[in-house]
Amino acid sequence: MNAAKKGQSSAKSQATMCSRVFKFLIGLVYIYHQVFQPSNAQEYIAELMVESTVTLEAKEILEMLNATKSITVSTENGESHNVVISDSELSAGCLIVEDKFNCNCSAGFIWSNTVCYNFNCCRETTCFANVSHITPLCISKVKDVGFNGSVTLATSSNLWGDSSTKMVESAFAALNGLEFINIINKRTGGADFVAAVSVKLNTKKLQSIVESLENALDAVVLVDTQGMVDIEAPNTIVKYNSSPKLACSFEEETSSAGWNMSKPNERFELNNGTVVEVYYGCKNMDFLSCVNIMLKNVTGIWSGTYECGFTQGAVRHTAKANMSVASLPEEITLKINPLTVDCSDGKDKEVEVQAIIPNTTEQYTISWSPREGESSHSKGMPVNDNLVYSFKSPVNCKKSSQGQYVNVTFKNDQQQTKMANVAIPVIYANERFCSQEEMDGDIWPKCPAGDTVVNQECPNGRVGYKSRTCIDTAWQPVFFNCVNQKLKKLFGEADMFKKGLGATQSVAKAIFEGLRNNPTNDSNPNDRTADISASINILSAMAEGSANVALQEDIFPDFVAAASNMLQDTWKAPNSSIVHNMASNYLHSVEGLVQNIRVNNSDSFSSENLDLKFCSEDQCRVSVFGIGVNLNMPTGIMKTVAVKNLMEKLRNNFKGTNHTNLLLSATLNESNSNINISLEFPIERQKSTKPYCVFWNTSAEIWLEEGCTLKTRDDNRTVCECNHLTSFSVLMAKTDVSTKALDLITYVGLGVSICSLVIFLIIEFMVWSAVVKSNLSHFRHTAMVNIAVFLLLADCSFLASVSPKLIGDFWCLVLTICKHLFFLAMFSWMLCMSVMLVHQLIFVFSPLRKRVFMFLSSIVGYVCPVLIVGCSYIYSKYTDKPYHNKETCWLYFEKLLEGSIHAFFLPVGTVIFTNLFSMVVVILTLMKTSVPDGKSSEKETVKSILKVVIFLTPVFGVTWAIGFFLLILDSHHASYEFVNYSFTILNSFQGFFILITGCFTEQKVREELVRILMAKSQRKSDSMKNLTSSTCTKEH
């Protein structure tokens, strides 16, 4: 039999005790007892074993135990402790007759997991297996242990049926101590379930059931357990601004752990932040998994239900505890009416003061001063989402050296207080003041010199204030701080993210999406600056929060777009120091975010005012907004960011210099003391100016030149070398392979091609009527003319876009569209020509009709390119992705299968592959039709094949296949330069090759051209003869 016991150790023992098992050879009886300790005692487990051939009654054993007053136990290190047995209880008994066993658990006990899962004796049934040696044999039933979960079918359209319900119930029936399982929320594609058990769950067994159920249902099954985890939380109201701790522990080892906090209709994940500190180093031998949190300087928003969880596979063990925090107003806004008090007549006045706090259920005691005492009422008047408290304050019109203020104090039930005050501008007799003035619909009352009037009224949809200072008798510009309500809400979410409340990837993405979708280009420039300032504060909060939470790269698009939008317009403020502080905060926030956000597969993110690139090569060479960056690094990722329209906003007190338009920052994700970075800036000054290489000191907010030197300078570049990196944001880019030699070859080749194509078209015009005598010749020359026309237009567009900065963004976009369209049209007609040729070779007796060829060719050659270009442009606009690269005036490449460049690569690759296939068909046809009659025939066949390759390669665009090979070839490969030059030469001179193979190698064209030239020469000779004959006749 097993018996549960209660006892306590003597007060002498203060050392930590482990659970111990004691076995006494008395008979085939087990006694299992647990000792529960008071606050000064320890807990352990003892076991009594009785073996005998005589039948013993459980009652006798219990009587013996009850007669035992105390026992002495020893720890592993030899320490002795006295234990008093206060209670005992029968838990199980076994009857063993020869090789037959009959074991039962007592009421309130159940078979242990070991017995259940190894001997198939579960719940309260009689066990006929030999389990008498198992420890523990039976265990006390537990309460409040259960689990809930969900089943999501792989096919979401499938209905949840009775068969699925039976499979779930049957699977979980294998759990020991299962009390019940209910299937709820049955729906299309899945269902939920809840269950209760009377023993602590075995995680491995539960995970095994989940995995088998997932396989059987072809579904995803998630399970949350309750009652398995120990949680410790404050059981009294936590004081405002205190730092409570919560602890969670679990006996088994798990793969991950974390905390959540929930309120009605809200749930937040807790991560490290300025308030939340998560600690995992608390596990021990008894609890192999644990996670603790400390909340620093909590406020009322931290009241809620806290849930910790330990996850292993699809099973998550959870525990919950409520924590209440004494509240005080997060924000107190004070308004006075009137805004200023005129005491020039010497009579005392009175002002109405309103204290506005966010709506809350907390009951505060309010006190005002200068009047002593506390207000009896504790409820304010609800207005929108706020509570408003009003008070009449007297104003003493007797002049005093000290200003006049109204103070308001809020006291909570814990006797904690929070105070706010507002200054009352008073105009005393015979003092200077600014006269009342109306501006933009706002009335600014008389104000004493040196004071500031604060107007808390903002337009609809905005919150904040406007202020204006009076200096001497002149009003200063108005400072506008009325912020868009949506941005105000976003800042609250960003502030919670910074604190660690809801600091997750999805929340961060939502914040940046909201920031991007709330543009700061308000029609009112004053409100625009307020919105920009609020947006910068959001960036600052997210930058601070990202130092504790690892954000992934899908944050970048929204972040870059939002940060770029802030630099679109001029920042207007009453004084330059406000703009300088905004710019410095902006730069510090952007650099922090770019440095903290992790990069996986992306190489760049671009916007109108920010260009970011990443590089992980040993020799990093990137270009951002025309700034070349060169850095040798052994390991890590270099991040670079170039920023436009920020330099003029930063403070510049460096040697009387003027700012340039571009700013670049670079950093490494790994520390490296040996840094030598080269930066090539475009010159933006007159030749007479002297450039300085400087860096921004974020702490002092000034420009410095220590560690940076000016190395070389020519007419276009300013080269700086620095021995350190600033912590600005970075993006990765590929090495620039363009050289002066390649550029020269390109320009010369395109010039020759353009001239050759013009000559080709002139020749075609001259010989058209003579050489186009059949449908086949008509097909060929029509395709050749279209190929030549579109290649000519594409080459002209290419040459017109070689200097993107000179032509501007609009023409850069236009020329990119033109090149995209003309090159696709050229390849489309090449496809028409190759398909026509193969058709003629295969279907010799079924020639194409002219009308059919022209109709199909027009669709392929004209309509398809227009559709591809139009769709790719519209898609880029719809998805808010760039269609073209403004630095190259060509299609945009983001990564594999992303970017508008694929609207060129995929169609062109298809055409080239088809044309290569057509060439193979032509060559095989030549080889098949050649009759072998010795070596001379073989030579003729080889010559024919060579002619086909030479003649068809230019007009089929096969040379462009080298470009695809160039894309997959490593730039450091030995043959890369050869392939690059080959591609440049063959394709830049493509027009010249078309002229040679399309005109001069075709006999009919050549003969007709010779005939025309000879005819013209003959006419000229006849004219000379006639002129000579006429002259001779006159002489005679």
Side-chain angles (χ1 to χ4, degrees):
M1 70 187 75
N2 283 7
K5 304 258 180 208
K6 291 184 181 179
Q8 68 180 36
S9 65
S10 66
K12 297 179 182 179
S13 172
Q14 300 297 327
T16 301
M17 294 285 295
C18 299
S19 296
R20 302 286 294 173
V21 176
F22 301 88
K23 296 184 179 180
F24 300 89
L25 228 50
I26 304 175
L28 292 177
V29 178
Y30 287 88
I31 295 180
Y32 168 83
H33 78 276
Q34 184 175 4
V35 181
F36 295 92
Q37 79 280 16
S39 59
N40 63 341
Q42 310 301 323
E43 177 181 338
Y44 60 91
I45 295 173
E47 179 182 73
L48 176 63
M49 176 184 294
V50 180
E51 292 185 1
S52 176
T53 57
V54 214
T55 302
L56 295 177
E57 293 291 337
K59 183 177 179 181
E60 298 176 13
I61 302 297
L62 292 177
E63 288 177 353
M64 287 188 293
L65 289 174
N66 292 331
T68 304
K69 300 299 182 180
S70 64
I71 59 175
T72 302
V73 298
S74 299
T75 62
E76 292 179 351
N77 56 11
E79 296 179 358
S80 297
H81 302 274
N82 292 326
V83 176
V84 177
I85 301 175
S86 60
D87 192 16
S88 60
E89 185 178 6
L90 178 68
S91 62
C94 289
L95 177 62
I96 304 174
V97 179
E98 296 181 351
D99 59 347
K100 296 181 180 180
F101 304 88
N102 189 313
C103 296
N104 289 280
C105 293
S106 299
F109 289 83
I110 192 171
W111 297 114
S112 66
N113 287 332
T114 304
V115 174
C116 177
Y117 298 136
N118 290 286
F119 298 93
N120 200 26
C121 295
C122 301
R123 302 181 181 88
E124 295 89 352
T125 59
T126 300
C127 184
F128 298 101
N130 183 13
V131 296
S132 59
H133 61 284
I134 304 298
T135 304
L137 184 60
C138 293
I139 57 177
S140 299
K141 288 186 178 181
V142 295
K143 296 181 180 180
D144 301 324
V145 175
F147 58 91
N148 62 278
S150 63
V151 181
T152 304
L153 301 177
T155 305
S156 59
S157 59
N158 286 354
L159 294 174
W160 184 269
D162 293 338
S163 60
S164 299
T165 299
K166 291 179 180 178
M167 291 179 69
V168 173
E169 292 174 344
S170 175
F172 286 112
L175 284 174
N176 186 26
L178 182 69
E179 298 287 336
F180 67 83
I181 181 166
N182 294 329
I183 309 300
I184 59 175
N185 298 333
K186 299 177 183 180
R187 57 189 180 274
T188 302
D192 299 330
F193 56 86
V194 293
V197 293
S198 55
V199 296
K200 282 198 171 184
L201 294 163
N202 181 286
T203 303
K204 290 183 179 180
K205 181 64 176 179
L206 184 58
Q207 180 66 32
S208 174
I209 293 173
V210 169
E211 290 175 356
S212 63
L213 194 57
E214 287 180 330
N215 294 330
L217 290 173
D218 189 19
V220 175
V221 181
L222 299 177
V223 175
D224 283 359
T225 73
Q226 299 85 36
M228 297 282 291
V229 175
D230 294 331
I231 187 170
E232 297 178 11
N235 53 12
T236 59
I237 296 177
V238 176
K239 286 193 173 184
Y240 181 88
N241 214 30
S242 62
S243 300
K245 296 179 181 180
L246 294 90
C248 224
S249 55
F250 183 54
E251 296 174 352
E252 303 176 26
E253 188 172 2
T254 55
S255 58
S256 63
W259 283 86
N260 294 295
M261 191 269 277
S262 59
K263 297 182 177 185
N265 303 319
E266 290 182 301
R267 181 180 173 89
F268 306 96
E269 184 175 327
L270 301 181
N271 282 301
N272 284 315
T274 57
V275 173
V276 180
E277 183 178 326
V278 185
Y279 177 67
Y280 297 94
C282 49
K283 64 181 181 179
N284 52 43
M285 295 183 64
D286 294 328
F287 298 100
L288 299 181
S289 298
C290 77
V291 57
N292 298 344
I293 56 171
M294 183 174 71
L295 306 177
K296 295 173 284 188
N297 304 321
V298 293
T299 60
I301 64 171
W302 295 93
S303 292
T305 301
Y306 286 78
E307 177 186 86
C308 62
F310 299 91
T311 304
Q312 184 66 37
V315 178
R316 183 170 179 264
H317 303 286
T318 63
K320 294 181 180 180
N322 292 321
M323 187 179 78
S324 297
V325 180
S327 178
L328 282 172
E330 292 291 314
E331 182 179 359
I332 304 174
T333 302
L334 294 177
K335 292 183 179 180
I336 60 173
N337 185 27
L339 297 178
T340 62
V341 177
D342 187 357
C343 280
S344 56
D345 58 1
K347 297 180 180 180
D348 290 348
K349 302 291 190 298
E350 191 177 63
V351 296
E352 180 183 5
V353 185
Q354 288 185 338
I356 304 172
I357 65 171
N359 206 343
T360 180
T361 58
E362 187 81 17
Q363 300 295 314
Y364 297 120
T365 302
I366 316 298
S367 62
W368 300 87
S369 63
R371 187 181 72 180
E372 298 294 335
E374 297 181 348
S375 173
S376 59
H377 66 274
S378 58
K379 287 188 177 181
M381 179 181 297
V383 178
N384 297 327
D385 294 330
N386 299 317
L387 293 176
V388 179
Y389 301 84
S390 299
F391 169 66
K392 296 286 187 178
S393 176
V395 177
N396 189 347
C397 284
K398 184 178 180 180
K399 186 175 181 180
S400 172
S401 59
Q402 297 180 346
Q404 298 200 44
Y405 297 88
V406 175
N407 300 314
V408 61
T409 302
F410 290 81
K411 181 188 293 184
N412 61 21
D413 293 338
Q414 300 294 314
Q415 304 303 307
Q416 295 177 288
T417 61
K418 189 172 185 178
M419 187 184 71
N421 63 68
V422 60
I424 303 176
V426 179
I427 303 174
Y428 296 102
N430 302 319
E431 285 203 347
R432 302 172 68 85
F433 61 89
C434 293
S435 302
Q436 179 174 305
E437 185 175 298
E438 182 178 355
M439 178 182 291
D440 298 330
D442 294 322
I443 296 178
W444 297 96
K446 292 191 298 182
C447 178
D451 269 334
T452 298
V453 177
V454 179
N455 185 353
Q456 301 281 355
E457 300 297 329
C458 287
N460 289 334
R462 292 186 170 272
V463 292
Y465 65 90
K466 293 170 280 187
S467 64
R468 199 175 186 191
T469 302
C470 173
I471 297 180
D472 198 12
T473 59
W475 282 109
Q476 300 304 301
V478 180
F479 175 69
F480 293 86
N481 194 35
C482 289
V483 179
N484 187 301
Q485 284 184 335
K486 294 181 180 179
L487 287 175
K488 182 74 172 179
K489 182 180 179 182
L490 275 180
F491 175 75
E493 295 173 359
D495 187 60
M496 288 197 298
F497 182 94
K498 178 183 71 173
K499 293 175 180 177
L501 185 63
T504 63
Q505 174 77 11
S506 59
V507 170
K509 187 169 177 58
I511 291 174
F512 283 113
E513 285 177 353
L515 192 59
R516 178 180 185 173
N517 296 328
N518 279 279
T520 56
N521 55 349
D522 192 280
S523 57
N524 188 331
N526 300 315
D527 293 337
R528 189 183 310 152
T529 302
D531 287 348
I532 292 173
S533 179
S535 299
I536 293 173
N537 290 336
I538 294 173
L539 287 184
S540 179
M542 295 304 295
E544 189 172 353
S546 65
N548 298 309
V549 180
L551 298 179
Q552 303 303 318
E553 62 182 14
D554 60 346
I555 296 291
F556 270 120
D558 292 320
F559 157 55
V560 171
S564 178
N565 291 338
M566 299 177 199
L567 300 174
Q568 287 291 91
D569 301 298
T570 302
W571 297 356
K572 183 181 179 181
N575 56 71
S576 58
S577 63
I578 295 176
V579 174
H580 293 160
N581 292 335
M582 288 171 58
S584 181
N585 191 15
Y586 173 91
L587 182 59
H588 184 68
S589 302
V590 168
E591 71 183 20
L593 282 165
V594 174
Q595 184 173 4
N596 294 335
I597 297 174
R598 296 184 178 181
V599 179
N600 296 322
N601 302 318
S602 300
D603 57 4
S604 65
F605 295 92
S606 297
S607 60
E608 187 170 351
N609 294 302
L610 270 74
D611 189 9
L612 297 94
K613 287 185 171 64
F614 310 125
C615 178
S616 57
E617 300 176 359
D618 294 342
Q619 177 70 29
C620 273
R621 293 177 57 87
V622 300
S623 178
V624 283
F625 283 155
I627 304 174
V629 183
N630 189 358
L631 175 67
N632 293 326
M633 60 178 188
T635 57
I637 298 177
M638 183 184 75
K639 299 180 178 180
T640 57
V641 56
V643 184
K644 289 181 179 178
N645 299 324
L646 181 65
M647 288 293 293
E648 67 271 17
K649 300 174 178 66
L650 288 168
R651 181 180 289 106
N652 182 14
N653 295 327
F654 185 79
K655 297 183 179 181
T657 56
N658 295 321
H659 62 79
T660 58
N661 186 45
L662 292 175
L663 179 149
L664 180 138
S665 302
T667 186
L668 282 174
N669 67 336
E670 296 184 9
S671 59
N672 193 333
S673 58
N674 187 17
I675 294 293
N676 186 15
I677 185 171
S678 175
L679 310 172
E680 299 181 7
F681 288 88
I683 284 289
E684 300 181 17
R685 302 228 182 276
Q686 301 295 326
K687 292 184 178 180
S688 58
T689 60
K690 179 182 178 181
Y692 289 89
C693 295
V694 296
F695 71 96
W696 181 255
N697 187 306
T698 54
S699 57
E701 297 186 358
I702 56 174
W703 293 106
L704 298 174
E705 60 178 342
E706 283 77 9
C708 293
T709 56
L710 178 69
K711 299 300 291 184
T712 60
R713 177 187 176 188
D714 54 29
D715 292 338
N716 297 315
R717 314 294 290 181
T718 298
V719 181
C720 298
E721 286 192 3
C722 299
N723 58 13
H724 59 81
L725 295 178
T726 52
S727 54
F728 297 147
S729 50
V730 176
L731 281 174
M732 185 172 62
K734 294 183 178 180
T735 305
D736 186 7
V737 298
S738 179
T739 64
K740 291 183 178 180
L742 285 174
D743 291 342
L744 180 61
I745 293 172
T746 300
Y747 300 149
V748 171
L750 289 177
V752 172
S753 287
I754 290 172
C755 295
S756 301
L757 292 169
V758 171
I759 295 172
F760 173 82
L761 292 174
I762 293 173
I763 293 174
E764 283 289 330
F765 176 76
M766 294 171 60
V767 304
W768 182 273
S769 58
V771 299
V772 179
K773 298 295 186 180
S774 63
N775 285 350
L776 184 60
S777 61
H778 182 271
F779 299 160
R780 181 181 183 278
H781 285 275
T782 299
M784 288 297 299
V785 168
N786 277 279
I787 291 171
V789 168
F790 287 118
L791 180 57
L792 175 63
L793 294 174
D795 287 347
C796 291
S797 300
F798 189 95
L799 282 179
S801 62
V802 293
S803 298
K805 294 181 182 179
L806 298 179
I807 61 176
D809 291 343
F810 173 76
W811 285 109
C812 182
L813 173 61
V814 171
L815 291 173
T816 301
I817 295 175
C818 289
K819 289 187 287 185
H820 192 187
L821 176 63
F822 296 150
F823 276 123
L824 284 183
M826 177 192 74
F827 278 102
S828 298
W829 279 100
M830 289 178 176
L831 177 64
C832 293
M833 187 173 181
S834 68
V835 172
M836 179 270 297
L837 180 59
V838 172
H839 183 276
Q840 292 300 116
L841 289 174
I842 297 176
F843 305 101
V844 179
F845 300 106
S846 300
L848 277 173
R849 288 182 295 172
K850 183 187 296 185
R851 181 176 297 178
V852 174
F853 173 79
M854 292 305 299
F855 175 75
L856 296 177
S857 298
S858 297
I859 293 176
V860 175
Y862 300 137
V863 178
C864 289
V866 172
L867 289 177
I868 293 173
V869 174
C871 291
S872 62
Y873 180 77
I874 293 172
Y875 175 79
S876 298
K877 287 296 182 183
Y878 178 77
T879 57
D880 201 23
K881 293 183 178 179
Y883 171 75
H884 73 301
N885 189 328
K886 296 179 181 180
E887 295 182 7
T888 60
C889 289
W890 186 227
L891 300 174
Y892 185 78
F893 175 80
E894 185 173 351
K895 59 182 180 180
L896 185 62
L897 297 181
E898 290 191 22
S900 59
I901 191 66
H902 294 89
F904 177 78
F905 281 160
L906 296 179
V908 170
T910 303
V911 172
I912 291 174
F913 177 80
T914 305
N915 291 353
L916 282 171
F917 174 77
S918 300
M919 286 183 62
V920 172
V921 171
V922 173
I923 292 171
L924 292 177
T925 304
L926 287 174
M927 295 175 63
K928 188 175 180 180
T929 56
S930 299
V931 180
D933 58 354
K935 293 185 178 180
S936 59
S937 178
E938 292 180 359
K939 290 181 179 180
E940 291 300 323
T941 302
V942 172
K943 288 181 180 180
S944 299
I945 293 173
L946 288 175
K947 286 181 181 180
V948 168
V949 174
I950 293 172
F951 292 165
L952 295 184
T953 294
V955 296
F956 279 9
V958 178
T959 55
W960 285 75
I962 302 175
F964 287 91
F965 180 66
L966 195 62
L967 289 175
I968 62 176
L969 190 64
D970 189 354
S971 59
H972 299 291
H973 195 275
S975 61
Y976 183 83
E977 187 173 358
F978 171 77
V979 176
N980 196 15
Y981 272 87
S982 300
F983 175 78
T984 303
I985 294 171
L986 291 175
N987 289 288
S988 59
F989 285 92
Q990 187 176 8
F992 173 74
F993 298 141
I994 288 177
L995 173 64
I996 299 300
T997 59
C999 282
F1000 298 144
T1001 58
E1002 186 175 346
Q1003 184 176 357
K1004 290 184 178 181
V1005 175
R1006 190 170 61 249
E1007 289 176 353
E1008 180 61 19
L1009 184 60
V1010 171
R1011 188 191 66 78
I1012 293 173
L1013 294 176
M1014 292 296 293
K1016 288 184 178 181
S1017 176
Q1018 184 65 35
R1019 286 196 298 269
K1020 184 176 181 180
S1021 177
D1022 291 344
S1023 298
M1024 290 299 294
K1025 288 180 180 180
N1026 292 335
L1027 179 60
T1028 303
S1029 175
S1030 175
T1031 302
C1032 292
T1033 303
K1034 288 181 180 180
E1035 289 179 354
H1036 288 289

